[in-house]
Amino acid sequence: MVCGGDLGQLAEAVGMLAEADSVARAHYGAAHPGRLSTLLDLREAMQAAHMQAGAVPDAPEVSAQYRSRLDAATQDAAVIAAALAERYASQGDVLSATLVAEAALQDVCPLLPPGAPLTEQLAGVVAQCVGGLSPADTRVAMSRKRTGGNLRSIAKEFTEELGVYALGRRASKLDQWNKGQVLAPVLQR
């Protein structure tokens, strides 16, 4: 989580996170949820750098570069969240699909242009799934929507663990995604 710092430190953080995302993209592919956690960190660092550069009188072109890169990372994060929500919806897990889509609408989509197709796609997933929720699941979805910041916790579930930590555990959501298996629900009950 990036909270501030001078522009040089932010530029260094953006560079490292961009490199980590590049490695993740090469390893997993463009629309893979294994990239989501790194992308959210990268977006946060670029947003801070964009704001910091905008405060420096001689740096409008630097601010514009960060804004452009921020827009691209936001688009990538929304594409991944949409793919994840669609995957949950296709396997009949309407609560998980709703939670992922709502989290993306809340955490990522505000930075997309108004009326962006991805925003419409995610809103469509919610509209399609919300009717299939039980009253208890509806309460869960509404509660999670109020707390915010849920996309980061969902992304964490798709972050690769070191092999030594994964020994003896059930298949992770990342493994399930990679093998085309049914994904475990976002919320374990």
Side-chain angles (χ1 to χ4, degrees), residues 2 13 17-19 21 56 61 68 70-71 76 93 100 103-105 114 118 126 128 133 149 156 186-187:
V2 178
L17 288 165
E19 185 176 339
D21 180 55
V56 177
E61 66 284 346
S68 174
L70 173 61
D71 291 345
D76 283 357
D93 186 348
V100 170
L105 286 167
L118 283 167
V126 172
Q128 175 188 4
L133 293 175
K156 187 177 176 183
V186 169
L187 295 176

Side-chain angles (χ1 to χ4, degrees), residues 144-156:
R144 294 282 297 234
K145 184 177 178 179
R146 279 192 297 271
T147 61
N150 294 311
L151 194 57
R152 187 168 294 282
S153 65
I154 292 167
K156 187 177 176 183

Side-chain angles (χ1 to χ4, degrees), residues 38-145:
T38 303
L39 268 173
L40 294 175
D41 290 341
L42 177 59
R43 283 182 59 250
E44 191 173 310
M46 284 191 289
Q47 196 167 14
H50 167 65
M51 290 171 51
Q52 187 78 14
V56 177
D58 297 335
E61 66 284 346
V62 174
S63 179
Q65 289 172 356
Y66 281 120
R67 181 65 211 199
S68 174
R69 292 172 69 189
L70 173 61
D71 291 345
T74 299
Q75 178 81 10
D76 283 357
V79 165
I80 292 167
L84 191 53
E86 297 276 345
R87 173 84 170 264
Y88 275 118
S90 73
Q91 68 185 42
D93 186 348
V94 293
L95 176 58
S96 293
T98 301
L99 292 174
V100 170
E102 285 283 7
L105 286 167
Q106 194 169 17
D107 297 347
V108 176
C109 292
L111 292 179
L112 292 174
L118 283 167
T119 302
E120 301 300 320
Q121 180 182 355
L122 288 160
V125 169
V126 172
Q128 175 188 4
C129 292
V130 79
L133 293 175
S134 69
D137 286 348
T138 301
R139 285 190 296 277
V140 168
M142 294 306 293
S143 173
R144 294 282 297 234
K145 184 177 178 179

